[in-house]
C-alpha cells in the first residue's frame, strides 16, 4: 500500500464511523471496510455543531485502521475530534481544509491546550467531511479560527472533564481535587496519578458534560496557545510525500481533462471526436452539456486517457465548434475607459448618506478629488484544479482539494445526479486556494465525468485552464472627493464606486463595497453611491475579499487628504478613525471594529517603523492601516526609488491585533506571506479581458513575485488581547498596497492611483 493509500485508509476508518449511521453510505471498495458502529451520548453544542461524547458502541467495535491493518480496538474516541491510545498518543482531527494557512496545526493546539495534552505526543489527522457532525468545515475569509474557537476548546475541555471524572470514580475522590497536565491526571493528596491513555477506556464510559458547564481557560492559563510550532505536515511537505489532491492514486484510475469555451458562456456544437479518440493513450472523448451554472458544470469536452500526458497532448489537437450566442464579449480596457467617463457623474441613489456632504464641501478649507482603479486578478494557485472521482455501488466517492467541502456536497450531488447522502468526499491538502477553491466547479466536473466512466477518474486541469476559467477578483474604480475643515480634520467623504453586476440587480460576486471600509472610514459627512457595469466573466472571492484592492484606493486617498490638511499622516489617521460619527452598519456578533484597537496598531506600527525619521533623498516611508476580516492592522514600508523607477524595498513593518495568537510561528509566517503576496499583486498582477477571453494564459504573462525580489525584512508584531481571535490569512494583505504607494510618493512626489505598478513603469530591484 502506498503512503497515500495508507493515509486515506486511516481517514476512511474514521469516516466510516461517522458516515455509516448518519448517511448509510458504503465505504470505497479501495478502502478497508469497517464493522457496525453505533452512536450514543450525543450532546449538541449549539449551531456550530459540536458533538461531545461521540463514542463507540463498545470496545469490540472500536477498531481503527493503522497502515491498513485493524487495531485491537483499545484506542478510545473521546469525541469527534479526539482519540486516545493506550500508549498515551492523542490523535486530534482537524475539521477544516489545510491550504497552507497552518489551520491543521492551530486547531490541534487549541484542542490540546484545553485538554492539557502533551503536544509531543499529539498526532494530527484530517477529519472526515461531515457537516452534520462538525458543523462548518470550510476555510476562507479568515473565518476558520473564529468559527471554531469555542467549539474546539469545548472539545478539549469536555474530553479532559471525562478523563478527570473517570479518575475520580476509580480513586474515590472529588473531581475538583484532580489536576491534569501534559496528558497526566494527578491527585496530589493521595499521590495517585495516571496517564490519559490508561484512563481513556474508563473515561469513554463517563457521562458527557454539558458544554455550558465547562470552564474554559483564561488567556493567562494557556500552556500551548501562543507558542511557536512547526507545521504538523511540514516534514511530509518538504520531503514530497503525497498529501495533495494532485497526488491521489486509486487502483485502476484513468485520467481526464476538460475543455470549456475560452469565452465564458459558450456551448459545444461539435468537436473532432474521431480524431481525438485516435490519439495515443486516449480511451474516450465526449461532450458534456453541464448544468449551465458557472459554479457547477459548464458545457465542454472531456478527454479520458491512460495518463495525464496523453490527455494533455490530445487536448492540443482538439477542435471545438463553439456556440458563442450567449458567450461573454467583455473587455477590461473598455470597462476602464467607460469608468473614467461616468466617474464624475454622481448617482442620484445613495448607498450611504450621513450628514450634509454638499454643505461640507461648500464650507471646506480644502477639497481633494481623485480617481483610483485596479484591475481584474486571477488566483492561479500553484496546484492546478483537480479532483479524483469514482462512481461505484451507487456512491460518488471523491478526493478533493477544496476550501469548501460542505458547500460542495450538494453541488456535486446535483452534477452527478445522485442524492447528497450518496456522496462521500475525502479532503486532501490544498496546494493554494486564496479563494479560488471556495468554488467547487472542478469537483462538479469530475463528478459529471465519472458518471460516464467505468473507473476511478482523475480530472486534471492544465495551467492554462486555471488562467482561463477562474472566478476573478473584479476590477474596480473609485471617484473620491474629500473635504478638510478649518481645523485640518476630515469633514466629508464622497465616493462613487464603479463596479460590476452579473444579473443587473446586485453586485457580482466579490464586487460589492466591503463593509469593513464602512467602519474604518469615518467622517461627519459621508456619501457613497455605485454604478454597475454588466459582466459575464465569472468573479468571486480573492484573498481578503473586497479589502484587497479597495483599501488601496481608500487609504491612498486618505494620504492625499492628510497632505492637504497640512498635518502628519499618522496623526491624521488616528484623528479620523476616532471621529464620533454614526455607524453605517448595525453592529452584530460578526463585527468587532474598535477605534481604540485601530489607534493602538497605528501607533505601534509608526513607532516600530521609525515614523518621522530622516531618510536619504530618493527614499520614502509609507503608511496605511485597515480593518479587515475582524483584524486591526497597520503597515509601513520603507523603500528607495532609483532614476529608472526601480524600487528597492528595505523593510516592511506590520502590526496586527487579531486577538490571542494560536501559533506564533505560523502567524508570523502568515503576516510575512500576506505582505509579500500583496507586494507581488501591487507590482505586477493584472488580468486583461478582450472579447470575453482571458489574455494571460500562464505565469510568463502574469509576473508573480520571484524569490530574488522578495523583501528581505518583514517584521511582524502582535497586540494580543482577550478579544475573540480571527484568522491570519487575510488581514495583513490589504494595507500593504496603499503603504507602498504612499512611500513612492514620499520618495518621488509621484502619486500612484492605478495598479499594477508595472503599468506605470515601476519594477522591483534586487
Amino acid at each position: 500500500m502506498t503512503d497515500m493509500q495508507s493515509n486515506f485508509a486511516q481517514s476512511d476508518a474514521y469516516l466510516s464511523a461517522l458516515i455509516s449511521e448518519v448517511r448509510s453510505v458504503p465505504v470505497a471498495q479501495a478502502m478497508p471496510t469497517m464493522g457496525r458502529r453505533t452512536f450514543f451520548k450525543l450532546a449538541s453544542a449549539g449551531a456550530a455543531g459540536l458533538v461531545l461524547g461521540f463514542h463507540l458502541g463498545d470496545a469490540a467495535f472500536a477498531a481503527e485502521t493503522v497502515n491498513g491493518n485493524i487495531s485491537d480496538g483499545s484506542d478510545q474516541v473521546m469525541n469527534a475530534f479526539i482519540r486516545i491510545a493506550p500508549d498515551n498518543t492523542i490523535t486530534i482531527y482537524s475539521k477544516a481544509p489545510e491550504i497552507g494557512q497552518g489551520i491543521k496545526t492551530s486547531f490541534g493546539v487549541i484542542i490540546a491546550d484545553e485538554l492539557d495534552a502533551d503536544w509531543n505526543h499529539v498526532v494530527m489527522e484530517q477529519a472526515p467531511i461531515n457537516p452534520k457532525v462538525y458543523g462548518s468545515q470550510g476555510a476562507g475569509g479568515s473565518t476558520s479560527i473564529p468559527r471554531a474557537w469555542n467549539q474546539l476548546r469545548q472539545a478539549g475541555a469536555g474530553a479532559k472533564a471525562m478523563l478527570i471524572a473517570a479518575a475520580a470514580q476509580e480513586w474515590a475522590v472529588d473531581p475538583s481535587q484532580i489536576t491534569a497536565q501534559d496528558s497526566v491526571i494527578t491527585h496530589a493528596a493521595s499521590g495517585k496519578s495516571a496517564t490519559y491513555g490508561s484512563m481513556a477506556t474508563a473515561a469513554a464510559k463517563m457521562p458527557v458534560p454539558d458544554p455550558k458547564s465547562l470552564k474554559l481557560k483564561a488567556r493567562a492559563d494557556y500552556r500551548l496557545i501562543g507558542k511557536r510550532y512547526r507545521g504538523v505536515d511540514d516534514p511530509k511537505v518538504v520531503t514530497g510525500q503525497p498529501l495533495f489532491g494532485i497526488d491521489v492514486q486509486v487502483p485502476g484510475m484513468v485520467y481526464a481533462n476538460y475543455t470549456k469555451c475560452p469565452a465564458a458562456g459558450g456551448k459545444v456544437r461539435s468537436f473532432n471526436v474521431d480524431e481525438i479518440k485516435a490519439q495515443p493513450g486516449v480511451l474516450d472523448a465526449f461532450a458534456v452539456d453541464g448544468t449551465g451554472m458557472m459554479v457547477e458544470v459548464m458545457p465542454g469536452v472531456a478527454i479520458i486517457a491512460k495518463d495525464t500526458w496523453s490527455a494533455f497532448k490530445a487536448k492540443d489537437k482538439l477542435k471545438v465548434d463553439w456556440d458563442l450566442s450567449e458567450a461573454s464579449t467583455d473587455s477590461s480596457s473598455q470597462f476602464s475607459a467607460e469608468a473614467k467617463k461616468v466617474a464624475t457623474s454622481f448617482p442620484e441613489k445613495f448607498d450611504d448618506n450621513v450628514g450634509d456632504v454638499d454643505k461640507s464641501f461648500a464650507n471646506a478649507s480644502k477639497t481633494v478629488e481623485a480617481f483610483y482603479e485596479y484591475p481584474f486578478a486571477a488566483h492561479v494557485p500553484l496546484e492546478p484544479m483537480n479532483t479524483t472521482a469514482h462512481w461505484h455501488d451507487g456512491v460518488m466517492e471523491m478526493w478533493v482539494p477544496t476550501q469548501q467541502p460542505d458547500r460542495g456536497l450538494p453541488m456535486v450531488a446535483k452534477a452527478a445526479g445522485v442524492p447528497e447522502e450518496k456522496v462521500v468526499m475525502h479532503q486532501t491538502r490544498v496546494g493554494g486556494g486564496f479563494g479560488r477553491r471556495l468554488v467547487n466547479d472542478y469537483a462538479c466536473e469530475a463528478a459529471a465525468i465519472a458518471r460516464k466512466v467505468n473507473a476511478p477518474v482523475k480530472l486534471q486541469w492544465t495551467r492554462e485552464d486555471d488562467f482561463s476559467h477562474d472566478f476573478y477578483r473584479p476590477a474596480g474604480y473609485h471617484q473620491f472627493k474629500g473635504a478638510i475643515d478649518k481645523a485640518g480634520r476630515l469633514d466629508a467623504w464622497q465616493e462613487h464606486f464603479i463596479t460590476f453586476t452579473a444579473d443587473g440587480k446586485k453586485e457580482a460576486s466579490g464586487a460589492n463595497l466591503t463593509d469593513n471600509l464602512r467602519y474604518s472610514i469615518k467622517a461627519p459627512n459621508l456619501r457613497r453611491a455605485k454604478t454597475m457595469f454588466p459582466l459575464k466573466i465569472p468573479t468571486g472571492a480573492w484573498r481578503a475579499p473586497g479589502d484587497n484592492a479597495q483599501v488601496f484606493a481608500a487609504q491612498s486617498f486618505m494620504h492625499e487628504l492628510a497632505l492637504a490638511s497640512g498635518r502628519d499622516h499618522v496623526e491624521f489617521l488616528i484623528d479620523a478613525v476616532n471621529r464620533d460619527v454614526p455607524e453605517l452598519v448595525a453592529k452584530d456578533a460578526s463585527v468587532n471594529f474598535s477605534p481604540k484597537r485601530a489607534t493602538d496598531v497605528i501607533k505601534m506600527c509608526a513607532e516600530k517603523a521609525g515614523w518621522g525619521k530622516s531618510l536619504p533623498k530618493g527614499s520614502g516611508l509609507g503608511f496605511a492601516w485597515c480593518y479587515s476580516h475582524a483584524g486591526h492592522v497597520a503597515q509601513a514600508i520603507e523603500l528607495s526609488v532609483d532614476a529608472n523607477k526601480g524600487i528597492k524595498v528595505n523593510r516592511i513593518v506590520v502590526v496586527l491585533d487579531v486577538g490571542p495568537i494560536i501559533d506564533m510561528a505560523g502567524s508570523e509566517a502568515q503576516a510575512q506571506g500576506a505582505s509579500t503576496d500583496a507586494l507581488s499583486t501591487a507590482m505586477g498582477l493584472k488580468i486583461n479581458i478582450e472579447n470575453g477571453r482571458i489574455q494571460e494564459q500562464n505565469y510568463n504573462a502574469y509576473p508573480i513575485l520571484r524569490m530574488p525580489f522578495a523583501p528581505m525584512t518583514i517584521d511582524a508584531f502582535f497586540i494580543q488581547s482577550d478579544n475573540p481571535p480571527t484568522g491570519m490569512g487575510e488581514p495583513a494583505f490589504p494595507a500593504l498596497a496603499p503603504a507602498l504607494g504612499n512611500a513612492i510618493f514620499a520618495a518621488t512626489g509621484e502619486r500612484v492611483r492605478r495598479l499594477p505598478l508595472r503599468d506605470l513603469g515601476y519594477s522591483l530591484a534586487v
Side-chain angles (χ1 to χ4, degrees):
M1 180 176 283
T2 67
D3 288 342
M4 176 58 79
Q5 289 171 314
S6 174
N7 191 23
F8 286 132
Q10 294 179 54
S11 64
D12 186 78
Y14 194 61
L15 175 67
S16 64
L18 293 168
I19 285 187
S20 58
E21 294 293 324
V22 175
R23 294 189 172 175
S24 301
V25 176
V27 295
Q29 293 177 332
M31 303 295 178
T33 302
M34 303 305 299
R36 180 184 61 83
R37 297 183 176 196
T38 58
F39 295 96
F40 68 100
K41 300 179 182 177
L42 300 181
S44 173
L50 172 65
V51 183
L52 280 175
F54 169 75
H55 288 273
L56 304 176
D58 56 67
F61 292 105
E64 299 289 342
T65 60
V66 179
N67 295 326
N69 299 315
I70 305 300
S71 77
D72 61 6
S74 58
D75 291 9
Q76 290 300 317
V77 175
M78 302 305 297
N79 56 51
F81 294 93
I82 302 166
R83 188 182 75 200
I84 301 177
D87 67 357
N88 226 26
T89 298
I90 298 175
T91 301
I92 295 178
Y93 292 88
S94 175
K95 71 168 189 169
E98 176 58 65
I99 55 177
Q101 84 282 44
I103 208 68
K104 194 172 181 181
T105 304
S106 293
F107 274 15
V109 169
I110 293 169
I111 293 174
D113 202 318
E114 289 290 349
L115 181 60
D116 276 310
D118 180 354
W119 182 253
N120 294 317
H121 294 92
V122 169
V123 176
M124 291 301 301
E125 296 288 350
Q126 192 68 46
I129 296 171
N130 194 324
K132 293 181 180 179
V133 171
Y134 289 99
S136 172
Q137 291 190 264
S142 289
T143 58
S144 296
I145 290 288
R147 283 180 177 174
W149 173 242
N150 284 330
Q151 183 191 29
L152 302 180
R153 296 170 76 200
Q154 287 173 337
K160 183 175 71 174
M162 294 165 70
L163 289 161
I164 288 175
Q169 185 180 81
E170 182 174 317
W171 299 337
V173 300
D174 192 302
S176 65
Q177 298 174 355
I178 295 177
T179 59
Q181 185 173 343
D182 292 333
S183 301
V184 175
I185 307 166
T186 302
H187 182 246
S190 65
K192 293 180 178 179
S193 66
T195 65
Y196 284 5
S198 67
M199 199 59 66
T201 300
K205 301 173 183 178
M206 290 293 104
V208 176
D210 182 347
K212 296 179 182 178
S213 71
L214 298 171
K215 184 180 180 181
L216 303 179
K217 291 182 177 181
R219 186 159 62 96
D221 298 325
Y222 296 155
R223 291 196 177 109
L224 299 177
I225 291 175
K227 294 183 178 180
R228 297 177 180 275
Y229 297 92
R230 181 183 70 181
V232 294
D233 283 341
D234 285 0
K236 295 178 182 178
V237 172
V238 299
T239 56
Q241 295 186 40
L243 297 172
F244 300 89
I246 204 170
D247 298 323
V248 172
Q249 296 290 321
V250 178
M253 185 168 71
V254 296
Y255 300 80
N257 182 262
Y258 191 57
T259 299
K260 292 178 286 190
C261 183
K267 301 176 183 179
V268 179
R269 284 200 184 103
S270 63
F271 73 100
N272 55 336
V273 58
D274 293 335
E275 181 182 359
I276 296 303
K277 286 184 176 181
Q279 296 302 308
V282 171
L283 304 173
D284 198 3
F286 49 84
V288 176
D289 291 335
T291 65
M293 299 287 290
M294 297 276 189
V295 296
E296 295 174 353
V297 184
M298 290 299 290
V301 175
I303 298 174
I304 315 300
K306 66 179 182 179
D307 52 53
T308 303
W309 181 246
S310 296
F312 285 0
K313 293 299 290 182
K315 181 185 179 78
D316 291 340
K317 302 287 186 179
L318 184 64
K319 299 180 180 67
V320 183
D321 178 15
W322 297 106
D323 177 356
L324 300 175
S325 58
E326 298 180 13
S328 168
T329 58
D330 295 328
S331 166
S332 54
S333 60
Q334 289 181 15
F335 287 142
S336 178
E338 187 63 23
K340 292 181 178 70
K341 291 179 183 178
V342 305
T344 55
S345 300
F346 200 79
E348 294 181 0
K349 182 181 178 181
F350 304 153
D351 292 324
D352 299 322
N353 191 21
V354 173
D356 190 333
V357 172
D358 291 328
K359 182 178 179 181
S360 175
F361 287 151
N363 297 330
S365 173
K366 290 184 180 179
T367 60
V368 180
E369 296 185 62
F371 177 82
Y372 280 81
E373 68 175 301
Y374 42 85
F376 290 89
H379 297 86
V380 292
L382 190 59
E383 179 191 24
M385 302 303 111
N386 66 87
T387 291
T388 299
H390 188 195
W391 170 246
H392 64 90
D393 303 318
V395 175
M396 181 59 69
E397 185 173 18
M398 312 186 75
W399 291 262
V400 191
T402 175
Q403 289 183 244
Q404 285 290 338
D406 40 357
R407 185 187 298 173
L409 285 170
M411 298 172 68
V412 164
K414 176 184 175 183
V418 301
E420 187 178 337
E421 61 268 19
K422 295 297 183 180
V423 177
V424 176
M425 191 179 287
H426 305 282
Q427 176 74 57
T428 71
R429 188 178 173 100
V430 181
F434 316 112
R436 173 59 181 93
R437 286 180 161 102
L438 296 175
V439 185
N440 287 278
D441 54 321
Y442 52 96
C444 293
E445 292 171 1
I449 293 169
R451 282 300 305 263
K452 298 186 177 185
V453 178
N454 190 30
V457 56
K458 177 189 282 188
L459 172 65
Q460 180 63 65
W461 286 24
T462 65
R463 182 69 64 201
E464 289 77 11
D465 292 332
D466 261 359
F467 271 87
S468 297
H469 300 291
D470 200 347
F471 290 78
Y472 306 92
R473 181 192 76 183
Y477 317 91
H478 300 255
Q479 179 69 42
F480 294 112
K481 184 176 181 179
I484 303 298
D485 66 17
K486 293 178 174 57
R489 307 182 78 190
L490 175 61
D491 192 60
W493 177 281
Q494 177 176 282
E495 181 174 0
H496 182 188
F497 178 41
I498 302 167
T499 185
F500 300 94
T501 178
D503 61 7
K505 299 176 182 178
K506 62 182 185 299
E507 298 95 326
S509 178
N512 59 294
L513 185 72
T514 171
D515 281 342
N516 292 329
L517 286 172
R518 288 189 158 94
Y519 282 99
S520 59
I521 299 296
K522 302 164 76 71
N525 305 284
L526 186 148
R527 185 164 62 197
R528 291 189 178 99
K530 65 177 174 288
T531 294
M532 298 190 295
F533 294 155
L535 181 73
K536 283 194 174 182
I537 292 290
T539 59
W542 197 95
R543 189 174 192 172
D547 300 339
N548 54 57
Q550 293 177 30
V551 169
F552 155 71
Q555 284 293 315
S556 296
F557 187 60
M558 284 292 284
H559 186 230
E560 294 197 56
L561 291 168
L563 293 175
S565 75
R567 299 168 63 192
D568 176 78
H569 183 204
V570 169
E571 175 192 333
F572 184 84
L573 290 176
I574 292 172
D575 178 66
V577 81
N578 284 283
R579 295 302 295 268
D580 185 17
V581 297
E583 300 291 358
L584 292 167
V585 182
K587 288 190 175 182
D588 58 30
S590 67
V591 177
N592 67 354
F593 173 74
S594 163
K596 182 183 183 306
R597 295 174 74 183
T599 299
D600 289 346
V601 297
I602 291 171
K603 285 183 175 179
M604 179 181 280
C605 187
E607 176 190 348
K608 297 294 185 182
W611 185 256
K613 66 184 178 183
S614 178
L615 292 172
K617 184 179 180 180
S619 297
L621 180 59
F623 193 94
W625 88 277
C626 68
Y627 168 66
S628 179
H629 295 77
H632 299 73
V633 185
Q635 279 174 293
I637 180 167
E638 184 180 330
L639 54 74
S640 59
V641 183
D642 63 28
N644 296 315
K645 289 194 169 183
I647 298 172
K648 180 174 177 56
V649 176
N650 299 314
R651 186 187 183 212
I652 295 172
V653 175
V654 53
V655 175
L656 305 97
D657 180 350
V658 291
I661 299 300
I662 312 303
D663 170 12
M664 182 58 74
S667 294
E668 287 179 346
Q670 284 296 300
Q672 293 165 347
S675 298
T676 302
D677 192 12
L679 176 64
S680 172
T681 304
M683 289 299 305
L685 301 193
K686 178 182 182 180
I687 285 293
N688 290 287
I689 306 165
E690 295 302 333
N691 197 28
R693 289 161 167 78
I694 306 304
Q695 301 302 294
E696 291 72 21
Q697 291 290 298
N698 213 314
Y699 288 130
N700 64 313
Y702 197 71
I704 288 176
L705 195 67
R706 271 39 174 194
M707 287 291 288
F709 301 96
M712 296 297 293
T713 304
I714 305 176
D715 294 325
F717 303 93
F718 300 92
I719 299 176
Q720 302 218 43
S721 67
D722 292 323
N723 293 291
T726 183
M728 276 295 305
E730 330 282 339
F733 186 103
L736 190 284
L740 174 65
N742 295 341
I744 290 172
F745 181 86
T748 68
E750 180 179 1
R751 173 61 60 188
V752 173
R753 295 195 180 105
R754 177 161 60 97
L755 295 179
L757 291 177
R758 68 183 172 103
D759 282 359
L760 303 176
Y762 288 97
S763 62
L764 286 174
V766 178

